[in-house]
Amino acid sequence: MTTHSIAATGPATETRTDADGSSAPPPSAQQASNAGAKRRRVQERDGLGALRTGVWVVLAFLVGLPLVALALQGIQPESRQVFGDSAVAEAALNSVASATGSALLATLAGAFLAVVLERSNIPGRGALRWLVLLPFLIPPFIGAMAWMALLGANGPVNKTLASLGIDAQLSIFGGWGVVFLLAVHSYPMAYLVIAAAMRRIPGNLEEAARISGAGTARVLGTVTLPLLGPGLLAAFVLTLVANLSDFGIPALIGLPERYTTLTTLVYRYLASSTTSNPLPAVSAIGLLLLVLAVLAVLAQRKLPSGSQLGSGGTGMKLELGAARIPVLVLLWLWVGIICLVPLLALASQALLPAPGVPLTLENLTLENIIRAATSPNAVSGMGNSLLLAGGAAVCCTVLGLGIALLLTRGKHRSNGALDVVATLPQALPGLVIAVGWLLIAPMLGIFNTSWVILGAYIMAFMALVVQSVRAPLASVSSTLEEAARTAGASPLRALLDVSARLAVPAALTGGVVVLLTAVRELTISILLVAPGTQTLGVSIFNLQQSGDYGGASALALLVALAGILGLSATAALANRRVDT
């Protein structure tokens, strides 16, 4: 008989019995950890690893290949020769000056609007918020056409001045016009960035300053604006990069006065028949813009985010006092002059039979709209734009959803690089993206086809979906996904069945934004267009350049109204989903 004794005071020791009956000590903590890591690696290879590998392959093709081709071509000796051209130096100086000046104006305007519309006691703030964003919903080149209609030689402003006996003629053309219109179309972006930063300022800091005896102006100057510093710098960098890449405004407003920027210079190289091979020159210019954009992105990433401040939804209300009425009048003048009057001028030019015809009820006609909308070029352009924008929207929705899921739900050492590669194209000038795809198109056999435009669209706009999905998905708890894992689902199955389904509405919203943005895009399309691939934006630009101002204005008016309605409806649906 064998006697077993158990010590009453000692800890219980677990043993396991092998097949031969001998006992063995339990696995150590290190062994258990290694076994768990091994299981996770196997699961990663089986599911998430395959998804991650697939995403990286697609990004290497869509982002890496064009940028590498651009860099390799841009550093060649034959490409670098272009920098000895005085025209390139002048265009580079004009680009930097116009982008910097307009970004500064846009940031100042956005800061003023953010302070007044987010913190003051101005009545009607909801309507004003939507109205001041109108330039953001209109393509910049169409906004330029609206201002050309307003301040043209036969426009309403100069005709009114002449009727009053004022011997002066206002003109929007030239460098100052480029700076002004770039600022007009970029201040809404600055306002949105600064307003988001303002909502993170804790109200107790401002209230503490107020309790200490500081007045409204003192609180703004010593508390609010210093805390807004990171938001102001971020808005400045974002608008600087966006304005550096614009083509429509410098082409329509600058070129008539021989004000050339890098984007219009590249278009001149590609459209000119005097240069047999313009790609080396445009590659060098594209590489220069790529370097400037990357430096701007790196500078923005180095900025303090201010996220440590938390949420400031109950910030101090700015009591304007006696300045309330003047500020309200200024805001409505802003809305009228900057946002509404140019659109009305564009509409009058579209509805009148010819420029200079008096605006009377008898002279209004739909002839321009019907003729422009039914012309073969316009019909072809609309069809191509809808097809390309729709394809880009579908591809960006799927790809952006996969990237956002990996960034928010998958912990991996490559997430930082994945984030940079996925979002970098949004900060790149459209010219850089277009030139990169021009270089790789012959290698892929898609030169002078719609496929090259589609690839450039996907590269340029996929970050819109990634950003649309990341924010709501990051705020969703992973409890449901962990429950699916506990029930036996693999990491990939849990990711697709739980997190992906929750993120689909946000991804679809981002896809709609891609559709509405791509369908009216100009900068990429104008550089990649080929016979049979003309898009709607290119059709409008060509009508304007050929002197058909009525037809160009008619198509531009339709695109502007469709953009305003589409983006407003998308924003309303997104807000409703957030509220529910």
Side-chain angles (χ1 to χ4, degrees), residues 248-452:
I249 290 176
L252 294 174
I253 304 301
L255 287 183
E257 292 293 330
R258 301 183 183 276
Y259 185 86
T260 306
T261 62
L262 289 174
T263 53
T264 56
L265 185 64
V266 166
Y267 173 71
R268 180 183 297 174
Y269 276 129
L270 293 175
S272 175
S273 59
T274 59
T275 305
S276 59
N277 183 19
L279 285 180
V282 301
S283 298
I285 297 174
L287 182 59
L288 175 61
L289 284 175
L290 174 62
V291 171
L292 293 176
V294 169
L295 290 177
V297 171
L298 292 177
Q300 182 188 358
R301 286 181 172 267
K302 292 294 184 180
L303 297 176
S305 64
S307 59
Q308 69 274 14
L309 295 177
S311 175
T314 58
M316 178 196 71
K317 284 297 181 183
L318 174 62
E319 297 294 336
L320 297 179
R324 183 183 183 191
I325 299 302
V327 171
L328 182 61
V329 172
L330 176 62
L331 286 175
W332 281 107
L333 285 175
W334 183 314
V335 167
I337 296 174
I338 300 297
C339 306
L340 297 179
V341 171
L343 274 180
L344 295 177
L346 183 68
S348 67
Q349 186 163 281
L351 296 174
L352 291 175
V357 175
L359 180 60
T360 62
L361 189 60
E362 293 78 11
N363 291 332
L364 296 181
T365 176
L366 296 177
E367 180 183 352
N368 287 329
I369 296 178
I370 296 174
R371 175 175 56 84
T374 58
S375 66
N377 287 336
V379 172
S380 175
M382 285 187 282
N384 289 335
S385 287
L386 289 174
L387 184 62
L388 290 169
V394 172
C395 295
C396 288
T397 300
V398 175
L399 180 59
L401 178 60
I403 294 171
L405 286 172
L406 292 175
L407 291 177
T408 57
R409 286 296 189 258
K411 295 181 180 179
H412 197 270
R413 59 180 178 273
S414 66
N415 274 7
L418 180 63
D419 187 12
V420 172
V421 174
T423 56
L424 176 62
Q426 189 178 26
L428 296 180
L431 180 148
V432 172
I433 296 173
V435 173
W437 279 89
L438 271 178
L439 291 172
I440 67 172
M443 296 185 294
L444 300 176
I446 58 175
F447 188 70
N448 279 348
T449 68
S450 298
W451 292 105
V452 64

Side-chain angles (χ1 to χ4, degrees), residues 400 403-405 407-408 419 423 465-475 506:
I403 294 171
L405 286 172
L407 291 177
T408 57
D419 187 12
T423 56
V465 179
V466 176
Q467 293 174 345
S468 297
V469 176
R470 284 183 70 175
L473 195 59
S475 62

Side-chain angles (χ1 to χ4, degrees), residues 204-216:
N204 56 358
L205 297 178
E206 296 170 318
E207 292 297 337
R210 176 66 65 87
I211 293 173
S212 300
T216 299

